[in-house]
Amino acid sequence: MGMEELLGMAELIFGVFMNVFIGSIGKIIFKKDDRASRIILRVIGIFLIINGVSRAFHI
């Protein structure tokens, strides 16, 4: 397993973690938990998941 696959797995894990704990991450980063901060974090989390899967499994 090379460095590329490890980075992909890290992106995948961080993206899932971000989407699971979206409320608490929003409170830490934006100092509030509202719809706009959740949308921003959701988009970033989904982007990380898609990139992580494609990088880790060479899709």
Side-chain angles (χ1 to χ4, degrees):
M1 186 177 273
M3 189 67 166
E4 185 97 11
E5 289 87 7
L6 289 176
L7 285 174
M9 292 302 247
E11 279 181 338
L12 181 62
I13 291 169
F14 191 68
V16 170
F17 178 77
M18 181 178 278
N19 279 307
V20 169
F21 298 107
I22 195 166
S24 57
I25 293 173
K27 288 179 185 175
I28 292 170
I29 294 175
F30 297 109
K31 307 294 189 240
K32 59 185 175 180
D33 184 22
D34 62 346
R35 179 181 246 180
S37 65
R38 283 183 177 255
I39 290 172
I40 292 168
L41 291 173
R42 181 82 60 193
V43 168
I44 293 170
I46 291 172
F47 180 76
L48 284 172
I49 290 171
I50 292 170
N51 268 355
V53 167
S54 66
R55 187 180 298 201
F57 302 111
H58 301 290
I59 296 175

